[in-house]
């Protein structure tokens, strides 16, 4: 059988630990036998990021801007323990944070739903999409360890030297050692985030919710709220009314309560950190962290597809001991299919799009047939199937693809 041809490469960002192992298995078992795969490869494994002083991460993001579509494996954001484990030069920043800052996009995450695996939240009947702002906040923060008593100030020095624009605030009077953190954001990025959310809601014909804590954060969070209101009123209100969908703002704590009581079927827009936390909560409640799609959409249409979970460290340590693992590869499979589908759309390659759709369907049908990894087997209603290894699951999908 002739392989499906590609015109333009994907940017391929390899990652860490168990997801790196699955990455290769997915390519070898499910993609390379069917597609003449073209990628521009970047190794974002932690050791290689350390060897390049993290320049490889920046290069991968710039390549994504050039080619328009990327697919990314899960990566480690190192803490102190990881620095020691991998003998790193320093605690490098989150690669996702670096890439998202360069692309200035919005992350949309939605659960992969399959019959027989019901959400933990019994009221949820439809997918719930998280729209996560992908710039700034804690992911581009500046932090200090405060060694002793003293005064912490935040100062803004205008580039034009206008003294009237200069600002200085006393943050805190320390009586002893402590810690401090400063965060920033940009009106341009917040506006792009708002437009991406409203446009996605119109494209998918879903209601849009947005939540912050503007009652406490009267400048930072309130800026988000006001920009969303302004963009909606001026650019999207008429379109929403025409489609019969709504825009709803509420405080983040109220939003959490409302989401739990809802049926789903809407988009929940969140600031960067809120979206990080809530997407994990939503994916777990829908079945598994490995059953969540994730796509970063930049203002110019550049897209990066990734798995919305970590590197599955515990399974990786077992793998290193020679043990078989039952690690769910679905999110990583859907990252690849999303990227291939987008590449096919841009390059007008219907065969590539059809292949991506077929691989997704074969993966879902494999689960529906009772062949699944351990995380899902424990959630099945009624008689529970015996879990299979990751390798066996991928081979079962391959068999369906070849049928």
């Amino acid at each position: 059988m002739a392989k499906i041809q590609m015109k333009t490469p994907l940017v391929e960002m390899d990652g860490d630990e168990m997801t790196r192992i699955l990455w290769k298995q997915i390519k070898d078992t499910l993609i390379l036998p069917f597609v003449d795969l073209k990628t521009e490869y970047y190794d974002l494994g932690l050791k290689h990021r350390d060897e390049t002083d993290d320049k490889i991460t920046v290069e991968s993001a710039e390549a994504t801007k050039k080619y328009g579509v990327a697919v990314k494996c899960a990566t480690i954001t190192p803490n102190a323990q990881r620095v020691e484990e991998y003998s790193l030069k320093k605690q490098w920043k989150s690669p996702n944070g670096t890439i998202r800052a360069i692309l200035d996009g919005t992350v949309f995450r939605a659960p992969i739903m399959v019959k027989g695996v019901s959400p933990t939240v019994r009221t949820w009947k439809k997918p719930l999409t998280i729209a996560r702002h992908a710039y700034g906040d804690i992911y581009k923060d500046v932090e200090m360890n405060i060694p002793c008593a003293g005064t912490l100030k935040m100062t803004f020095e205008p580039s034009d030297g206008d003294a009237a624009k200069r600002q200085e605030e006393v943050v805190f009077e320390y009586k002893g050692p402590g810690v401090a953190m400063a965060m920033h954001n940009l009106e341009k990025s917040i506006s792009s985030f708002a437009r991406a959310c409203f446009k996605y809601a119109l494209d998918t014909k879903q209601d849009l919710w947005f939540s912050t804590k503007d009652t406490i954060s009267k400048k930072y969070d309130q800026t988000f709220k006001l920009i969303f209101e302004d963009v909606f009123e001026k650019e999207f209100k008429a379109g929403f009314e025409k489609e019969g969908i709504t825009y709803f703002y509420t405080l983040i704590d109220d939003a959490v309560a409302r989401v739990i009581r809802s049926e789903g079927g809407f988009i929940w827009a969140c600031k960067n950190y809120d979206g990080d936390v809530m997407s994990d909560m939503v994916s777990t409640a829908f079945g598994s962290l490995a059953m969540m799609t994730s796509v970063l959409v930049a203002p110019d249409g550049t897209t990066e597809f990734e798995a919305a979970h970590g590197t599955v460290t515990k399974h990786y340590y077992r793998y290193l001991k020679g043990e078989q693992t039952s690690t769910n590869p679905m999110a990583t499979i859907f990252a690849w299919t999303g990227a291939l589908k987008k590449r096919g759309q841009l390059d007008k390659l219907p065969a590539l799009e059809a292949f991506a759709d077929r691989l997704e369907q074969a993966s879902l049908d494999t689960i529906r047939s009772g062949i699944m990894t351990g995380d899902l087997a424990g959630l099945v209603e009624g008689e529970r199937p015996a879990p299979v290894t990751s390798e066996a699951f991928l081979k079962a999908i391959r068999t369906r693809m070849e049928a």
Side-chain angles (χ1 to χ4, degrees):
M1 183 179 67
K3 290 186 179 183
I4 298 167
Q5 298 299 304
M6 294 178 61
K7 294 179 182 177
T8 311
L10 293 171
V11 175
E12 177 185 352
M13 305 176 189
D14 210 343
D16 288 300
E17 298 190 320
M18 199 64 220
T19 45
R20 187 183 183 97
I21 304 303
L22 289 175
W23 191 261
K24 185 177 187 306
Q25 291 177 347
I26 289 167
K27 284 175 62 179
D28 290 346
T29 306
L30 301 179
I31 298 174
L32 292 176
F34 305 97
V35 178
D36 186 13
L37 187 64
K38 291 184 179 180
T39 70
E40 184 159 311
Y41 179 85
Y42 292 85
D43 183 0
L44 300 194
L46 185 52
K47 290 294 290 183
H48 195 234
R49 279 182 276 144
D50 190 60
E51 291 166 1
T52 64
D53 293 332
D54 208 28
K55 291 178 182 175
I56 190 70
T57 306
V58 175
E59 291 171 1
S60 70
E62 294 297 339
T64 302
K65 291 169 69 175
K66 175 182 177 181
Y67 290 106
V69 184
V71 58
K72 180 183 174 295
C73 183
T75 47
I76 295 170
T77 299
N79 55 16
Q81 181 264 323
R82 294 294 204 168
V83 170
E84 182 178 350
E85 179 183 355
Y86 283 84
S87 302
L88 304 177
K89 299 171 187 174
K90 59 184 285 188
Q91 288 186 43
W92 300 106
K93 292 277 190 178
S94 160
N96 286 340
T98 298
I99 294 165
R100 291 165 187 164
I102 291 171
L103 298 182
D104 187 22
T106 297
V107 177
F108 294 97
R109 289 180 171 174
I112 302 168
M113 299 187 73
V114 59
K115 187 177 181 181
V117 180
S118 297
T120 304
V121 181
R122 59 182 176 79
T123 58
W124 290 355
K125 308 297 182 187
K126 306 171 186 175
L128 202 167
T129 301
I130 298 289
R132 173 186 171 188
H133 188 212
Y135 180 83
D137 288 355
I138 197 171
Y139 303 89
K140 297 294 287 185
D141 72 344
V142 177
E143 301 180 359
M144 288 183 184
N145 286 306
I146 305 299
C148 60
T151 303
L152 179 70
K153 296 181 179 180
M154 184 165 66
T155 305
F156 171 71
E157 300 282 358
S159 298
D160 60 10
D162 185 348
K165 298 175 185 174
R166 186 181 185 276
Q167 299 181 60
E168 183 173 284
E169 296 281 351
V170 174
V171 176
F172 193 69
E173 296 284 356
Y174 286 85
K175 305 304 181 186
V179 292
M181 177 177 71
M183 300 192 308
H184 79 281
N185 229 296
L186 304 172
E187 289 190 359
K188 179 181 178 182
S189 181
I190 299 168
S191 296
S192 293
F193 172 45
R195 290 188 180 93
C197 292
F198 290 126
K199 186 177 185 302
Y200 193 83
L202 281 174
D203 289 345
T204 59
K205 295 180 174 55
Q206 296 183 83
D207 292 341
L208 175 68
W209 294 17
F210 179 49
S211 56
T212 69
K213 193 69 172 178
D214 64 290
T215 52
I216 301 299
S217 177
K218 297 183 184 298
K219 291 182 180 177
Y220 195 97
D221 278 23
Q222 190 175 79
T223 297
F224 276 81
K225 177 188 177 183
L226 295 176
I227 287 176
F228 261 73
E229 287 177 356
D230 186 62
V231 170
F232 176 69
E233 290 291 334
K234 292 179 179 178
E235 302 176 30
F236 292 95
K237 186 175 181 179
F240 268 54
E241 290 175 349
K242 181 179 178 181
E243 294 295 341
I245 57 177
T246 60
Y247 167 59
F248 171 66
Y249 174 83
T250 189
L251 297 175
I252 182 69
D253 44 354
D254 180 58
V256 171
R258 289 173 179 267
V259 165
I260 294 299
R261 295 193 301 267
S262 76
E263 290 188 349
F266 58 89
I267 302 161
W268 182 13
C270 299
K271 289 169 37 243
N272 206 346
Y273 181 73
D274 295 341
D276 191 2
V277 174
M278 295 307 165
S279 63
D280 277 7
M281 182 271 287
V282 168
S283 62
T284 302
F286 268 104
S288 169
L289 283 171
M291 296 292 285
M292 183 74 113
T293 63
S294 181
V295 57
L296 173 70
V297 183
D300 65 356
T302 297
T303 51
E304 179 227 10
F305 297 82
E306 63 176 350
H309 57 70
T311 57
V312 203
T313 305
K314 290 181 179 179
H315 285 205
Y316 181 61
Y317 291 158
R318 288 168 51 195
Y319 171 84
L320 292 178
K321 293 177 183 178
E323 299 177 18
Q324 288 281 351
T325 69
S326 185
T327 314
N328 190 336
M330 284 290 287
T332 306
I333 292 172
F334 273 62
W336 272 105
T337 57
L340 291 169
K341 200 180 303 184
K342 185 66 175 181
R343 186 77 273 164
Q345 291 169 355
L346 293 176
D347 291 350
K348 295 180 172 54
L349 297 172
L352 190 60
E353 290 184 68
F355 167 78
D357 287 334
R358 192 157 61 92
L359 179 51
E360 289 182 1
Q361 193 61 48
S363 301
L364 292 170
D365 287 344
T366 299
I367 295 174
R368 293 188 189 105
S369 73
I371 301 172
M372 62 190 73
T373 48
D375 59 321
L376 295 182
L379 299 172
V380 171
E381 299 168 340
E383 186 178 351
R384 292 181 175 178
V388 300
T389 64
S390 305
E391 186 176 355
F393 180 68
L394 293 175
K395 286 182 178 178
I397 298 172
R398 169 75 174 270
T399 298
R400 286 184 177 272
M401 292 290 289
E402 292 176 333

